[in-house]
Each structure stands twice: as C-alpha cells, then as structure tokens.
Amino acid sequence: TRASKKTRASKKTRASKKTRASKKTRASKKTGASKKKRASRSYRIQAAAFSGDGRVLATSAQKRVYLWDVTASRPKKLASLRTTVDASRLAVDRSGERVAAAVAGFSEVRIRSAKGALLHEIRARGAVTCFAFAPDGRFVVGEVERIGEDGLKARSYVSVYDLAAGDALPRELFRAAVVDLPLRDIAFSSDGLLLFLGVGGGVVVVFDLEASRELFRFPDVDGNDIGQRIAAAFSFSQDGRRAAISWGD
C-alpha cells in the first residue's frame, strides 16, 4: 500500500513538473513571438517606390532596402539589400530588377541589382533631390544648385546618364537647366518621351527630354490656385492617361 501511494505521488509529481514545463514553454513561445512582432513594427519606412509594371515594391529602413512582391493578396519579401545610408529616395526600374537609392541632398546615387550587387554609382554635380529610370534604360537625376551671392535661390537641373554600357560610373549624356525653383520629383510619361517635374511653388513642368526643352507648365489643379504649395510627388497610371499629383504646404 505504501509503495502504491509512493508510486501515485511520484506520477503526480512528474505530471505536475511536465505541466509546469509545458506552460513555461508555451509562455516562452508567446513571449518570443510577441518580441518578434514588436521588432517587426519598430522601424520607420524612409522611402517607397514601385517598379514600372507595379509588381515590385521597394521600401527603405534601417540602412536596408526591402523588395516585395505585391501581386498576391499579401506582400511577399523578395530580398533585403544592405545599404551604407538610410535612403530617403528610391526608384525601381520597370521589371523590378534594379533599384536606385540615395539620401536627398547628397550627390551620390547607387544602383543595385535585385540580388544586392552594386551595378552603378552616379556622382552628380549638384545636390540630388529625385531620380527615375527611363523606359528605354537611361537614368535621369534631378539636381539643385544654390545660386546668387546669398545662396538663397535655387536652380534645378536634369542630368541623363547611360546605363546600357554597364559602366560602374555611368557616362553623363547631357545636363540641362530646367527651372529656377527647387526640384522635388520626376516621372516619365508611359512612352518615355515626356518628363514631368514637380517643383517648388506648386508648379509642374512638362519637359521634352529629347529636345531638351520645356513644353509647358501648369500651376493649379481644377482651377484652384495653390499659391506657394510644393508639387512634392506624382505618378502615372500604366496606360499614361492619368496622373496623381500630391501637394504639400
């Protein structure tokens, strides 16, 4: 009888220990999952850009550029590319195979493959504010230089680089002054013939890249004067029939 009681007590002790161990394991897993979940939400996205076909999204945070496949109902991470800076400007080519990253105001733009290999490095003459891949493979950079004795005025330039040759330091094809206002964003028409420039003062300049000349500009939307607002960013639908433009005060 005493042996039987000892056996039952021993079984209860072991069962109790197993139960406590199991609870600790579940609690540990929950804590770990909770920490991972918190960690995944702890960083701030500095910039984002879609590929030309809309299938790939690039985001930058914590000195990395993340590439996402957004064709399904839930985004799927394709790659995590390490960068030397926290990029505040991004651009992705039409197929999502190349991504350009830079810090606004710096003079360098680095272009990497979707696997992380450094392909090109653009060294602009002015402070880079925006850039874009042309549909034909060229690369366009918007730059700003301070002018005047006090340096309070700005002149913006567009520089076009040849990426087709595959040079690590691409050749500048030409550079043109476009407007005496800060340049904020660049976008191409779907056929690649026109360049749309968002600048300070709420102005959008339509620029013929081949002829290197301004075609026209429009300072308002729906007839409403936007005064000193800034045409900060815009994008085109894939058929090129519509443009979305954002203004900031």
Side-chain angles (χ1 to χ4, degrees):
T1 303
R2 285 197 296 273
S4 176
K5 287 181 179 179
K6 285 182 180 179
T7 301
R8 288 198 297 271
S10 177
K11 287 182 179 179
K12 284 183 180 180
T13 301
R14 287 199 298 271
S16 177
K17 286 182 178 179
K18 284 183 180 180
T19 301
R20 288 198 297 271
S22 176
K23 286 181 179 180
K24 284 182 180 179
T25 301
R26 288 198 299 270
S28 177
K29 286 181 178 179
K30 285 182 179 180
T31 302
S34 177
K35 285 182 179 178
K36 285 183 179 179
K37 194 172 288 186
R38 286 198 299 271
S40 67
R41 297 175 182 174
S42 62
Y43 61 82
R44 177 182 177 185
I45 294 176
Q46 300 292 330
F50 279 99
S51 60
D53 59 11
R55 299 173 64 86
V56 177
L57 172 67
T59 60
S60 67
Q62 296 182 316
K63 294 185 178 182
R64 286 185 178 273
V65 173
Y66 301 92
L67 300 179
W68 307 85
D69 181 348
V70 291
T71 56
S73 58
R74 296 187 65 179
K76 177 184 177 182
K77 186 188 290 186
L78 298 174
S80 173
L81 315 180
R82 186 180 295 277
T83 58
T84 57
V85 294
D86 286 323
S88 59
R89 293 288 186 274
L90 292 175
V92 187
D93 70 358
R94 181 163 186 80
S95 61
E97 296 177 352
R98 294 177 296 179
V99 57
V103 176
F106 285 27
S107 60
E108 294 181 351
V109 182
R110 290 183 172 89
I111 301 173
R112 299 178 184 273
S113 71
K115 294 183 179 180
L118 181 61
L119 302 176
H120 312 283
E121 185 174 315
I122 305 291
R123 296 178 181 175
R125 299 188 225 174
V128 173
T129 58
C130 50
F131 42 83
F133 288 93
D136 62 5
R138 292 177 296 175
F139 192 72
V140 177
V141 175
E143 311 167 27
V144 174
E145 289 185 357
R146 294 294 172 183
I147 58 176
E149 294 181 0
D150 54 8
L152 296 179
K153 295 182 179 179
R155 177 166 295 161
S156 293
Y157 295 83
V158 168
S159 298
V160 180
Y161 294 86
D162 177 22
L163 300 184
D167 298 330
L169 296 176
R171 180 171 61 93
E172 183 184 88
L173 298 176
F174 70 85
R175 186 176 191 248
V178 289
V179 66
D180 285 350
L181 289 168
L183 186 57
R184 302 292 182 178
D185 196 23
I186 288 179
F188 279 96
S189 59
S190 57
D191 57 12
L193 298 178
L194 301 179
L195 193 61
F196 288 71
L197 312 172
V199 299
V203 176
V204 175
V205 176
V206 182
F207 193 79
D208 186 330
L209 195 59
E210 298 302 321
S212 186
R213 65 185 179 90
E214 178 183 327
L215 297 180
F216 61 90
R217 62 179 66 187
F218 52 96
D220 57 86
V221 174
D222 295 333
N224 296 318
D225 183 11
I226 57 175
Q228 294 303 310
R229 294 182 184 178
I230 297 171
F234 47 91
S235 183
F236 288 87
S237 59
Q238 290 193 26
D239 60 10
R241 296 172 62 88
R242 293 178 177 83
I245 306 172
S246 68
W247 271 268
D249 293 324

